[in-house]
Amino acid sequence: YNHLKSKGLYYESYAVYNLPISSDSAEILDLKLMKEALVLDPEAAYIWLNLCYISPFDSIDIYIKKLTELTPRWPVWHYFVGNQFTGSNPSKAIQYYQKSIDLDSTFLKPRIYIANAFSRLGKQAEADLQIQKVILLALAKAEKDSFSLAAEEWHALGNALRLKRQYVKAEWAFGQ
């Protein structure tokens, strides 16, 4: 029962942004519901991940430690944590993006973001390499079956093509 109730609170937390309340109130209610859900299911990695980037009151280290304990091989959390560091600490972001890529070499989004982090550090050759890998991986997958690419993968491909100034191809990818 607790697991099911926890999931209900988790999904309810997303709905608060559709309520006729201020965005500040929605964020507070979202955080409250997430923490209630976590009490009911403390092993729910997806809740820990959401709290990692919505909780302004806690250190991100708390969430990273828990996610490492629960799901060390889940590439998605490494990607999202990398996003948390992109602006403030690109070197640290690169570590998390690289871990995500190491865990799932076909996960395209961390490659786009690691390219951005490399660029922020002035490492354009490394950035270009990641962008090229996104293009090659996505096009190879699309060649086999264009329906096998998720919308976010088409978006990653479009961004990679845009960064390579291949605007017509980027527009095509964004339109898929």
Side-chain angles (χ1 to χ4, degrees):
Y1 170 79
N2 282 353
H3 178 70
L4 186 59
K5 177 68 176 166
S6 174
K7 276 193 174 182
L9 289 169
Y10 171 78
Y11 289 114
E12 188 178 337
S13 74
Y14 280 97
V16 300
Y17 296 96
N18 294 326
L19 296 174
I21 59 178
S22 71
S23 61
D24 289 346
S25 295
E27 287 178 28
I28 292 168
L29 184 55
D30 181 5
L31 187 59
K32 176 185 174 291
L33 291 169
M34 284 285 183
K35 289 195 173 194
E36 286 176 16
L38 196 58
V39 168
L40 292 169
D41 189 0
E43 303 298 306
Y46 58 92
I47 297 172
W48 284 100
L49 178 58
N50 273 8
L51 284 171
C52 179
Y53 59 91
I54 68 166
S55 182
F57 309 111
D58 300 321
S59 167
I60 193 171
D61 296 332
I62 296 167
Y63 301 105
I64 292 171
K65 181 177 185 269
K66 192 62 178 182
L67 287 163
T68 301
E69 290 171 14
L70 292 172
T71 57
R73 300 193 50 77
W74 185 27
V76 172
W77 83 256
H78 293 279
Y79 159 70
F80 277 111
V81 169
N83 288 347
Q84 292 298 99
F85 290 110
T86 295
S88 62
N89 190 341
S91 295
K92 197 166 190 174
I94 288 169
Q95 293 172 1
Y96 284 100
Y97 292 139
Q98 189 59 56
K99 180 68 174 180
S100 180
I101 292 166
D102 291 345
L103 292 170
D104 182 355
S105 63
T106 66
F107 189 15
L108 300 180
K109 290 196 77 141
R111 289 190 186 277
I112 286 291
Y113 285 87
I114 200 172
N116 179 42
F118 278 131
S119 288
R120 292 177 65 90
L121 294 174
K123 298 180 177 183
Q124 199 55 48
E126 290 94 334
D128 289 342
L129 178 65
Q130 292 299 326
I131 292 166
Q132 193 59 38
K133 284 184 181 179
V134 168
I135 294 169
L136 292 173
L137 287 168
L139 290 177
K141 193 172 179 180
E143 190 175 294
K144 288 181 185 175
D145 177 13
S146 64
F147 292 108
S148 67
L149 258 70
E152 68 179 23
E153 291 173 308
W154 283 111
H155 190 258
L157 174 59
N159 276 325
L161 292 165
R162 180 185 55 81
L163 291 169
K164 287 294 200 178
R165 299 175 193 249
Q166 296 179 19
Y167 301 119
V168 173
K169 290 180 181 178
E171 188 175 354
W172 165 79
F174 286 132
Q176 297 301 313

